[in-house]
Amino acid sequence: WGKLNTLDEEKKLKSEPGDYRKIYENIYRALTQNEDLLVTPEQARDVIKVIELACQSHSAKRVLEFK
């Protein structure tokens, strides 16, 4: 379970089942068999940026813009 906090509410969310092995298998096949990546480098970069902004927003106690 995870917790989602917004300006209006706080609620628990059931975690989605997952299997990170599929991502690593895809990266291997992308390198060895020219398969398309399931997660692009740009998508990975944006996820990291969102996580970093969430941490900064929490520390600053204010909303930060995603650019």
Side-chain angles (χ1 to χ4, degrees):
W1 289 85
K3 184 168 55 167
L4 175 65
N5 293 308
T6 67
L7 295 174
D8 301 321
E9 66 180 329
E10 178 181 310
K11 63 181 177 179
K12 285 188 175 182
L13 297 174
K14 185 175 181 181
S15 298
E16 294 289 328
D19 186 350
Y20 282 105
R21 292 176 295 183
K22 292 179 183 179
I23 294 294
Y24 293 107
E25 289 168 359
N26 172 247
I27 292 170
Y28 171 78
R29 287 191 304 274
L31 293 170
T32 62
Q33 301 168 22
N34 206 29
E35 181 176 303
D36 289 339
L37 289 167
L38 296 173
V39 178
T40 66
E42 295 80 13
Q43 290 170 322
R45 176 204 59 211
D46 289 347
V47 168
I48 292 168
K49 187 172 183 178
V50 167
I51 293 168
E52 289 175 342
L53 282 171
C55 292
Q56 292 170 10
S57 173
H58 176 75
S59 295
K61 306 246 187 294
R62 65 185 181 93
V63 175
L64 299 175
E65 185 177 344
F66 180 88
K67 297 178 187 179

